[in-house]
Amino acid sequence: MVDVADKLGYFQAITGLEDADLCTEILQAHGWDLELAISSFTSSSSSSSSRVDGDHNREPFTEFDDGRAFRPPGIAWKIITLPVSIVSGSLGLASSAIGFGFWVAGGALSYSLAMLGFGSGRGGSETESSSSSSAAAGEAMEFIALFDRDYGRNPLKPGFVSEGFMDALQLSRSQFKLLFVYLHSPDHPDTPAFCERTLCSEGVVAFLNENFVAWGGSIRSSEGFKMSNSFKASRFPFCAVVMPAANHRIALLQQVEGPTTPEEMIAILQRVVEDSSSVLVTARVEAEERRTNLRLREEQDAAYRAALEADQARERQRQEDQERIEREAAEAERKRKEEEEARERAEREAAEREAARVRMRQEKALALGDEPEKGPDVTQVLVRFPNGERKGRRFESNTKIQTLYDYVDSLGVLETEEYSLITNFPRTVYGRDKESMSLKDAGLHPQASLFIEIN
C-alpha cells in the first residue's frame, strides 16, 4: 500500500497543483482514495475547460487539418488498468486479481502494479501462467503471419516481436528502447491504407526498427482485444508508445488514433524519442553502472576466493609439511630407539657370550686338573696359534684329544670354537671326529707340536 507521502506526491505530479495543503485537503475529502480523488479533479478540470472553450470537451489534442488528432506526450490524462490475464500470464505473477495503478515520471503517465492498493487474490498456478504466456505468443505470431500475408508484397515491414505484450515490454526494458504498440483492426476501412502507406513506409519502418521494440496485436485476438479495452481505443488505426519502468511499471508516452501520414508518424515518434531520451539514457547508464558494479563485485569475490584458496592451499601445505616433519621425526626416533635397543641387545648378548666363554674357560681349566710332572707316561704338547703365540703343557699319555681342545679353549686366545688341531710332518688333522682317541693312540706321545687351523 502506498503511504500518505507517496500519495500526496503522486497527486501533485498528476494534477500539477503545488499547494501541498490543498492537495492534502482534496485527498482527505476522498478518504485518501487516490484514484477517486484524481478522477474527481480531472472531471472538474474538464468541466471548467468546457465552459472556457465550448469547442472542446476533452484534454488538449494536437489537431491535423482533416480533424485527426493525437495526444501529445507528457500529459497524464487517464488511469488505465491493464487486464490481469495479460500481466499474470506473461510475467507469471501469482495473482489473478492484481490491478495496475499509476505512476508519473518526467511528466509521463505510468501504470504501476499494486500502487493503488489492489492486493493479490486467488493465486494462479505456474502451469496456467506458462499456458497464458504461450497463448499470447501464439497470438502474436498469428498476427505477424496475417500481416505478412496481407502486406507481404511490401518488403519493408516493422519488426514486430513474436511475444506477448508483457514479454515485449520486458524485451524493450532489456534493450533500453520504447515499446511501439499497434492495434490492428482488420475490418476498419482505414487499416489497409495505413498499413501500406504509413506503417510499411521506408522512413517509418527504419525509424521504428532503430528506436523501438514493436508489438502488434489484432483486436480479434484475446490479448489484442484486452489491450484495446485497456487503452480505450476509440478510433483505428490505433498506435501507442509505452516505456517500461521499475517494478513492472509502464508509462504511456503517446497514442495516435486514426489514419496518419508517414511524415506525421515520424514527427510524432521523433518527438517521443527526444522527450524520452534522457530517461532511457539514464536507465542505460544506471544499468551499465549496475553491471559494472556487479562485475567489480564478481571480480572482487573471485579475487577473494582465489586469495582464500591460496591461503587455504598454503595452510594445507604447511600442515602437510608439519605432519611430514613430525612423521619423519617420529620415524627417526623410532629407528633410533630400535638401533639403540638393537645395540643394547647386541651388547647384552655379546656380554652374555663373553661371560659364557669365561665360564666355559674357567670350567674347562678346572676340568684339566693339575699339570703332571715329567715321566715316561707323560706327553709334552706344544700348540701354535694363528697369531704366532705358542702355548705348551704336559698331559698324561692316555689323555683324550678332547682334552687338548678343552685346553686350547681354556686359554681364551681364540674368538671361535670352529677350528682343528693339525700336525705338519706328516700332515695330520685331529678334528672333532678324533676327540675320543688318546694322545698315545693318536701317535702324539711322547711329544707333539700342533697348529691351529680355523675352519
Side-chain angles (χ1 to χ4, degrees):
M1 183 71 67
V2 181
D3 60 24
V4 171
D6 288 339
K7 287 183 177 180
L8 180 61
Y10 293 144
F11 187 82
Q12 287 180 299
I14 292 174
T15 61
L17 295 177
E18 297 181 358
D19 190 332
D21 294 335
L22 176 60
C23 293
T24 301
E25 291 177 2
I26 295 175
L27 286 168
Q28 288 177 340
H30 292 84
W32 289 96
D33 187 325
L34 195 56
E35 183 175 6
L36 181 61
I38 293 174
S39 297
S40 176
F41 180 84
T42 54
S43 297
S44 175
S45 298
S46 296
S47 299
S48 298
S49 176
S50 297
R51 288 192 297 270
V52 173
D53 188 351
D55 297 331
H56 295 83
N57 58 4
R58 301 175 66 186
E59 293 292 333
F61 281 84
T62 297
E63 296 187 358
F64 296 116
D65 294 337
D66 57 1
R68 290 175 291 105
F70 75 91
R71 193 173 303 279
I75 298 179
W77 55 281
K78 65 177 178 178
I79 298 173
I80 296 177
T81 301
L82 296 181
V84 174
S85 59
I86 292 178
V87 180
S88 61
S90 298
L91 296 180
L93 299 178
S95 170
S96 60
I98 297 180
F100 267 78
F102 64 93
W103 174 69
V104 176
L109 177 64
S110 301
Y111 316 94
S112 174
L113 185 62
M115 288 297 289
L116 292 180
F118 292 97
S120 59
R122 297 188 303 267
S125 67
E126 294 182 2
T127 302
E128 292 173 347
S129 297
S130 176
S131 176
S132 300
S133 179
S134 299
E139 290 180 356
M141 289 186 287
E142 182 179 359
F143 162 73
I144 294 173
L146 293 176
F147 192 90
D148 289 343
R149 182 198 66 186
D150 295 339
Y151 308 104
R153 58 183 177 274
N154 190 331
L156 298 175
K157 294 181 293 294
F160 293 113
V161 296
S162 57
E163 303 288 346
F165 175 80
M166 293 303 292
D167 290 335
L169 186 68
Q170 293 292 69
L171 179 62
S172 68
R173 177 197 299 273
S174 65
Q175 296 182 2
F176 301 98
K177 291 184 176 182
L178 304 177
L179 179 65
F180 175 83
V181 179
Y182 169 61
L183 297 180
H184 185 68
S185 176
D187 300 325
H188 197 280
D190 293 331
T191 295
F194 176 78
C195 290
E196 291 178 354
R197 299 173 187 173
T198 299
L199 204 55
C200 292
S201 68
E202 181 177 358
V204 172
V205 169
F207 195 81
L208 281 177
N209 292 343
E210 180 179 357
N211 298 281
F212 296 85
V213 171
W215 180 85
S218 172
I219 60 173
R220 291 181 179 177
S221 68
S222 175
E223 189 168 47
F225 178 76
K226 293 173 184 176
M227 293 305 302
S228 174
N229 289 338
S230 298
F231 285 113
K232 292 182 171 55
S234 59
R235 295 184 63 188
F236 291 92
F238 179 91
C239 299
V241 177
V242 298
M243 180 176 66
N247 300 324
H248 306 305
R249 295 167 174 172
I250 61 173
L252 176 63
L253 306 181
Q254 180 68 67
Q255 69 181 48
V256 180
E257 298 175 287
T260 309
T261 66
E263 293 75 14
E264 293 166 347
M265 180 62 74
I266 293 176
I268 295 170
L269 296 179
Q270 179 67 47
R271 182 164 51 254
V272 174
V273 169
E274 291 175 355
D275 292 343
S276 307
S277 60
S278 61
V279 177
L280 296 177
V281 170
T282 300
R284 184 184 297 274
V285 170
E286 291 177 350
E288 183 60 31
E289 289 179 353
R290 288 193 297 271
R291 285 194 296 268
T292 300
N293 293 336
L294 177 60
R295 182 170 61 253
L296 179 60
R297 286 196 299 271
E298 291 175 346
E299 292 175 353
Q300 291 173 342
D301 291 344
Y304 171 76
R305 288 193 298 271
L308 180 61
E309 291 173 358
D311 291 341
Q312 292 174 342
R314 284 193 294 269
E315 179 62 20
R316 286 194 300 269
Q317 185 63 42
R318 187 193 66 78
Q319 293 179 354
E320 292 174 359
D321 292 344
Q322 181 65 26
E323 292 174 356
R324 176 179 54 78
I325 292 173
E326 292 176 355
R327 287 195 304 270
E328 292 176 352
E331 181 67 16
E333 180 64 16
R334 183 185 63 80
K335 289 183 177 179
R336 186 191 65 78
K337 289 183 178 180
E338 289 180 352
E339 292 174 354
E340 183 177 353
E341 292 174 356
R343 183 173 62 256
E344 292 175 353
R345 184 170 57 254
E347 292 175 353
R348 185 171 59 253
E349 292 175 353
E352 292 174 354
R353 287 194 300 271
E354 181 62 24
R357 284 196 297 269
V358 170
R359 288 194 302 271
M360 179 195 67
R361 289 196 301 268
Q362 292 174 351
E363 291 173 357
K364 289 185 177 182
L366 290 174
L368 290 176
D370 295 334
E371 184 178 5
E373 297 292 335
K374 293 180 180 181
D377 294 326
V378 175
T379 303
Q380 180 70 42
V381 177
L382 178 66
V383 179
R384 294 181 180 182
F385 291 89
N387 61 359
E389 188 175 352
R390 296 182 181 187
K391 297 290 183 179
R393 192 182 189 279
R394 291 183 298 274
F395 295 91
E396 297 289 341
S397 61
N398 60 356
T399 300
K400 305 297 184 183
I401 292 179
Q402 171 65 50
T403 303
L404 293 181
Y405 277 96
D406 292 342
Y407 168 68
V408 172
D409 292 340
S410 68
L411 296 175
V413 177
L414 298 177
E415 297 293 333
T416 178
E417 296 178 0
E418 300 297 328
Y419 61 92
S420 298
L421 297 174
I422 64 173
T423 59
N424 281 338
F425 303 103
R427 178 179 172 79
T428 303
V429 178
Y430 299 96
R432 299 288 182 175
D433 56 336
K434 297 179 180 181
E435 288 181 343
S436 61
M437 294 178 64
S438 66
L439 297 180
K440 188 175 182 179
D441 293 341
L444 298 175
H445 183 73
Q447 63 181 8
S449 180
L450 301 171
F451 296 89
I452 293 191
E453 186 177 82
I454 304 299
N455 295 335

